[in-house]
Amino acid sequence: MYYIDIITLFPDTVGDVLSESILGRAQERDYLRIEAHQLRDYTVNKQKQVDDYPYGGGHGAVLQADPLYRCWEYLCRRGAGKPRTICLTPCGKTFTQADAKRLAWEEERLILVCGHYEGIDQRFIDECVDEEISIGDFVLTGGEIAAMAVADAVSRLVPGVLSDPACFENESHWDGLLEYPQYSRPEVWHGRAVPQELLTGDHAKVERWRRKQSLLRTRQRRPDLYEKLDLSSKEDQKLLAELERELSRPVLPRPVECRPAGEGDLDAMEAILTQAKARLLPIGQWSVDYPAREDFIADMARGECYVLTCGGQVGGFFTLSARPEAGYAAITDGKWSSDEPYAVIHRCAVAENWQGSGLAGEMAAAWEELARAQGLGWLRIDTHKKNKAMLGLLRKCGFQYRGNVLVEAQPPRDPRRVAYEKKLKGVGQR
Ligand code: ADE
């Protein structure tokens, strides 16, 4: 059994708080005994006065040594040996999880002394107190809240109090790291989805994601703790390199929305088109003349052209059509999975400043949503085999390579394309 005795002017409040819930159950099961003692019961004057003015002057009053000593001595006499005596004061050493662990594992009896008024007569501290603890760089009206915090933090680490030690082994401060973010049902709340990694059921993936989040939080919120971490393992180095890349990505302004493009979007689209051509001209996917403003105007007239806006600004565009693509029938080196109706994507690009921001992924999600809304169960797309960015996006979004196709394209464009498709779950039959 672990004993914590608290010397206070407010034993009822302190006792009530510490006998709730987990600590209450631990006391019923005899793992723990927490008792709060009324300091006034240890006075010898009729008024039960425990404080007096400070020598040297100044405002407020000081808790006198004698009642504190009487109470402390009584508590010491109740068991064998002298309990570890701790005084709660803003002048103390800042309490940490390492202190909680040490007190829970190395001691079996604690006396917590709550200061009040302007402080405690130093002679009691010198004679009886082993350590002075502060719970942070702020001043409370008394030591009670601090004593309750220390008693709670120590108690939950006393063996047997928590049913499963795994409860605290992953939490903040256990190994010098802050804990990762937690999520519970539902999967989407107010439009905010639970991170994909936590839904995979892949334990190693979940652990990796959690470690990465812990590292990120600790670095951003507690550089003092982060500095002390040993991050030399290969796994941590890999996670840190990933974090580095992710943090240098531009942050996408919200909301991100997809809507049919209109003539008023053409200038913004053309600016993005010029940037995209600079990337796609050298590989021969696009040319100076293709695609042209007229191609987008024609797409708009058919209601097939869309823009993606982020924070109200056009950040990308694409064309989604339900009309079968002529060149796709003659696929070589493979075949399409189905001849069911499909949506085909053409002429898509994302603004240079949003590359790597996740906007392309949002665009791919918009393709799916639009195809579904039209009752189409398949998406098809072709790209040039040297278009690394598009190939990466397609693989990431679950598209499958199906074969090679030729598109209508005059020199200097290269008509050879790799063809991909994706089955949209829950639409049509396979
Ligand atoms: N008493 C008043 N302020 C305190 C603090 N920050 N920590 C511990 N005891 C206190």
Side-chain angles (χ1 to χ4, degrees), residues 102-416:
R102 169 176 58 83
L103 295 173
W105 291 4
E106 293 176 15
E107 306 296 335
E108 45 204 37
R109 289 174 72 203
L110 294 184
I111 294 179
L112 302 180
V113 184
C114 304
H116 239 275
Y117 311 119
E118 279 311 296
I120 292 178
D121 191 309
Q122 186 62 34
R123 291 166 295 184
F124 170 76
I125 295 173
D126 293 343
E127 191 158 316
C128 310
V129 170
D130 298 301
E131 48 188 304
E132 292 174 81
I133 284 181
S134 162
I135 60 161
D137 294 341
F138 46 83
V139 180
L140 303 164
T141 53
E144 279 72 16
I145 290 173
M148 288 191 279
V150 169
D152 188 289
V154 171
S155 296
R156 64 194 289 284
L157 299 183
V158 167
V161 170
L162 293 186
S163 49
D164 183 0
C167 290
F168 47 73
E169 282 169 2
N170 276 329
E171 68 192 10
S172 294
H173 302 293
W174 187 255
D175 51 5
L177 278 171
L178 300 186
E179 194 182 355
Y180 44 79
Q182 297 276 21
Y183 297 86
S184 183
R185 290 195 301 174
E187 245 179 70
V188 179
W189 178 82
H190 285 194
R192 295 164 188 270
V194 171
Q196 227 22 62
E197 290 84 346
L198 301 179
L199 305 173
T200 55
D202 180 337
H203 187 68
K205 232 185 203 162
V206 170
E207 285 310 304
R208 199 170 182 281
W209 181 87
R210 288 181 165 168
R211 174 112 189 138
K212 191 160 140 187
Q213 296 302 315
S214 279
L215 289 170
L216 177 63
R217 271 193 166 177
T218 312
R219 185 164 106 170
Q220 289 178 332
R221 300 178 183 183
R222 294 293 303 273
D224 56 320
L225 296 180
Y226 188 78
E227 226 172 61
K228 294 187 197 129
L229 293 172
D230 173 8
L231 302 174
S232 58
S233 76
K234 232 165 133 183
E235 293 75 34
D236 280 342
Q237 285 298 309
K238 240 172 126 181
L239 290 178
L240 292 177
E242 272 175 35
L243 276 176
E244 223 40 80
R245 276 199 302 276
E246 285 164 19
L247 290 173
S248 60
R249 282 183 191 158
V251 178
L252 209 48
R254 300 275 157 184
V256 174
E257 288 163 327
C258 179
R259 60 167 170 79
E263 303 250 336
D265 296 317
L266 278 167
D267 288 346
M269 290 170 67
E270 207 156 353
I272 297 170
L273 182 63
T274 307
Q275 298 168 352
K277 279 184 178 173
R279 296 192 299 272
L280 298 181
L281 237 68
I283 62 172
Q285 181 162 344
W286 285 357
S287 69
V288 176
D289 304 324
Y290 177 85
R293 205 170 166 103
E294 292 68 42
D295 294 306
F296 294 108
I297 293 173
D299 289 344
M300 283 178 199
R302 287 188 291 264
E304 295 177 347
C305 189
Y306 297 88
V307 285
L308 226 74
T309 60
C310 41
Q313 301 289 312
V314 174
F317 57 76
F318 62 90
T319 293
L320 181 139
S321 171
R323 291 174 300 120
E325 178 63 23
Y328 282 4
I331 190 166
T332 58
D333 310 302
K335 60 183 177 57
W336 300 105
S337 304
S338 152
D339 51 13
E340 286 170 29
Y342 60 88
V344 56
I345 313 299
H346 294 297
R347 296 178 276 286
C348 65
V350 164
E352 202 111 277
N353 51 329
W354 303 127
Q355 302 277 322
S357 68
L359 187 60
E362 301 268 0
M363 184 168 72
W367 300 341
E368 290 194 22
E369 206 171 299
L370 289 166
R372 279 175 197 282
Q374 296 179 38
L376 301 167
W378 295 87
L379 277 176
R380 289 187 188 180
I381 188 168
D382 66 77
T383 189
H384 195 279
K385 69 170 189 289
K386 289 188 182 160
N387 189 343
K388 295 277 187 298
M390 180 55 85
L391 291 173
L393 176 69
L394 296 178
R395 284 189 199 117
K396 196 168 156 197
C397 298
F399 281 75
Q400 306 282 330
Y401 169 72
R402 287 296 173 235
N404 299 317
V405 293
L406 288 174
V407 296
E408 233 179 83
Q410 309 311 317
R413 292 181 64 209
D414 178 356
R416 295 170 298 175

Side-chain angles (χ1 to χ4, degrees), residues 8-20:
T8 167
L9 292 171
F10 306 100
D12 293 344
T13 314
V14 171
D16 283 354
V17 170
L18 295 173
S19 54
E20 291 287 346

